[in-house]
Amino acid sequence: MANKNLNAAKSAKKDEFYTQLTDIERELQHYWPHFRGKTVLCNCDDPYESNFFKYFALRFNQLGLKKLICTCYNGSPVQGNELLIHFDDLDAEPTKIAYKVEITEVKDLNGDGAVDLADVRYLLQNDRNVMATLESGDFRSAECIELLQQADVVVTNPPFSLFREYIGQLIEYGKKFIIVGHQNAITYKEVFPLIKENKVWLGYGFKGGAAHFFSPYEDIATAGDHRRDMIRVSGVTWFTNLEIPKRNEELDLVCRYSPEEYPKYQDYDAIEVSESNAVPYDYDGYIGVPITFLNFFNPEQFEILDCCEPCIRLDILRKMPKFKEYKSRQKICNGILCQKKYHRIIIKNKHPKPL
Ligand SMILES: C[S@@+](CC[C@H](N)C(=O)[O-])C[C@H]1O[C@@H](n2cnc3c(N)ncnc32)[C@H](O)[C@@H]1O
């Protein structure tokens, strides 16, 4: 239900989904060494609303950041009040203003003995040098590209409706990044080649494979899931090109290949493996796995070759355990009635064990 709503939101270009601080903390704990001495850019982040801004501002000294830049897009329809920012010289509502915040140090400015959000608030309210207005705050604008060029690492949850363009820009400018996106983006023709060439991979992910975003849209908030203003979206994950320990962990392979248990596709020379932990240790041909397999992908262990929606003969599928028949996914392939699988990543085991 929630994903249906998300798709509707995507086509309506409703992009206000705010990431929870706990989700950011859970993921970013694995990347700390990458931040020391670096400039971090959060370029879809209204400091009023964004927990990415809060995360980095609060840990500025702990992480040893050189600089934190946040930019706010003028299309954001929401105003928060966590950080009360005043533009005395501007008549417009803060929500209509695109602006940037640039921080190069966070000190105990209010003298209360601790460096915390109160100091960040004090800094924003009292140091005019840290804030400046932008024309639009659009990540594609010249002024934002200039900020992107200064950045070492970009960390944010970009608008779902612009994900292709967003990640394309990061690659074009050779930036390191940790960004939120839906796992279906793996199959996009603009994204899959990056995954295949090991230029982008998945991070650790959200708890239970789903994110709960704060959302201002009452029409798509999922009452009953959590609070009324939260939306649960399954399949949301983190995309990165920073090295993380997880990428060096080998998937433990315990299953043995047999033609009965691992049918071949009708239109692709590969076997179907419908669960990541069932990849056989002794098969040296092409293997089709669900896109969620990328959560376990180690480039030393496997090679990624393709992404497709292959099909299997229906008479073979009907003999398989857990088979579900979907009339809408059936098609005739080489004269035989088949059922199309959902997207599969075609992989090869680099070191199959002999039988
Ligand atoms: C999915 S929300 C995430 C907000 C924040 N990064 C977070 O995770 O809490 C995406 C944000 O991108 C902003 N946005 C939409 N189009 C944009 C654009 N072209 N350039 C920059 N930001 C944009 C939206 O206003 C929205 O606040």
Side-chain angles (χ1 to χ4, degrees):
M1 178 63 180
N3 277 3
K4 227 157 115 194
N5 285 338
L6 185 75
N7 289 338
K10 217 158 77 178
S11 36
K13 299 231 171 347
K14 285 182 169 176
D15 284 320
E16 305 307 317
F17 297 99
Y18 301 109
T19 317
Q20 294 188 82
L21 189 58
T22 47
D23 288 329
I24 296 171
E25 287 169 343
R26 192 177 298 114
E27 183 69 21
L28 295 196
Q29 60 176 317
H30 303 286
Y31 301 77
W32 276 41
H34 293 294
F35 295 126
R36 186 150 294 279
K38 299 291 168 54
T39 294
V40 169
L41 170 68
C42 306
N43 58 356
C44 298
D45 292 86
D46 178 352
Y48 276 96
E49 292 293 340
S50 171
N51 283 317
F52 285 94
F53 174 75
K54 201 188 283 180
Y55 178 89
F56 286 111
L58 283 175
R59 291 168 182 77
F60 192 92
N61 299 326
Q62 233 179 330
L63 290 170
L65 294 187
K66 181 173 154 201
K67 192 176 191 180
L68 170 62
I69 310 172
C70 271
T71 57
C72 169
Y73 177 57
N74 65 3
S76 171
V78 186
Q79 180 189 0
N81 53 13
E82 188 81 48
L83 294 162
L84 292 169
I85 303 166
H86 298 293
F87 289 92
D88 296 337
D89 50 344
L90 295 164
D91 294 335
E93 290 281 306
T95 51
K96 303 284 188 303
I97 299 167
Y99 61 95
K100 64 175 178 180
V101 167
E102 293 187 71
I103 294 176
T104 49
E105 61 176 357
V106 180
K107 293 193 288 195
D108 179 16
L109 293 170
N110 61 2
D112 67 356
V115 178
D116 53 25
L117 204 59
D119 297 300
V120 178
R121 190 180 294 124
Y122 187 93
L123 180 72
L124 296 181
Q125 287 176 342
N126 294 282
D127 186 345
R128 289 297 155 144
N129 297 323
V130 301
M131 294 184 76
T133 53
L134 294 171
E135 266 171 40
S136 72
D138 190 316
F139 67 86
R140 299 160 291 191
S141 63
E143 57 188 356
C144 286
I145 291 177
E146 219 168 275
L147 296 171
L148 176 66
Q149 283 169 319
Q150 282 186 43
D152 297 301
V153 189
V154 179
V155 190
T156 192
N157 175 1
F160 291 126
S161 64
L162 296 173
F163 188 82
R164 292 175 168 86
E165 240 180 293
Y166 186 85
I167 196 166
Q169 181 177 286
L170 294 178
I171 298 292
E172 184 187 340
Y173 286 88
K175 293 300 157 186
K176 294 291 180 197
F177 57 84
I178 312 162
I179 57 170
V180 175
H182 197 275
Q183 65 183 17
N184 288 345
I186 293 166
T187 66
Y188 295 172
K189 67 178 191 316
E190 299 85 352
V191 178
F192 180 70
L194 303 172
I195 304 259
K196 182 181 167 192
E197 290 161 26
N198 284 307
K199 291 183 179 161
V200 175
W201 46 89
L202 300 188
Y204 284 79
F206 286 79
K207 203 173 167 189
H212 291 86
F213 296 118
F214 165 74
S215 166
Y217 310 118
E218 289 192 7
D219 53 334
I220 59 169
T222 45
D225 250 330
H226 255 241
R227 300 203 319 260
R228 189 181 56 83
D229 55 0
M230 300 294 284
I231 173 169
R232 179 187 185 276
V233 189
S234 61
V236 170
T237 188
W238 295 84
F239 291 79
T240 188
N241 57 358
L242 284 167
E243 280 305 330
I244 35 177
K246 170 186 185 242
R247 218 168 133 68
N248 303 318
E249 287 164 15
E250 285 224 341
L251 181 63
D252 197 10
L253 306 182
V254 293
C255 296
R256 191 172 174 173
Y257 169 71
S258 78
E260 299 73 38
E261 282 171 282
Y262 297 96
K264 276 209 167 178
Y265 300 119
Q266 179 74 355
D267 54 353
Y268 205 108
D269 185 15
I271 57 165
E272 158 74 359
V273 177
S274 52
E275 281 169 28
S276 302
N277 60 5
V279 172
Y281 57 80
D282 53 354
Y283 191 76
D284 73 350
Y286 292 173
I287 301 170
V289 285
I291 55 175
T292 46
F293 171 83
L294 292 181
N295 286 311
F296 309 100
F297 177 69
N298 170 342
E300 295 302 317
Q301 191 177 16
F302 296 103
E303 187 183 351
I304 297 176
L305 297 143
D306 206 351
C307 178
C308 54
E309 286 177 282
C311 64
I312 304 186
R313 290 169 61 132
L314 204 59
D315 58 339
I316 295 178
L317 277 178
R318 283 189 177 130
K319 292 183 202 141
M320 309 294 294
K322 298 190 198 166
F323 168 67
K324 279 196 194 133
E325 191 157 336
Y326 296 106
K327 288 257 179 306
S328 60
R329 298 195 64 79
Q330 288 173 7
K331 66 172 199 178
I332 304 288
C333 182
N334 301 330
I336 311 267
L337 184 60
C338 295
Q339 184 159 301
K340 213 159 66 153
K341 302 303 282 183
Y342 290 105
H343 272 100
R344 293 293 186 248
I345 305 286
I346 307 294
I347 57 161
K348 197 172 183 315
N349 186 343
K350 286 187 170 177
H351 315 285
K353 303 262 166 16
L355 285 168

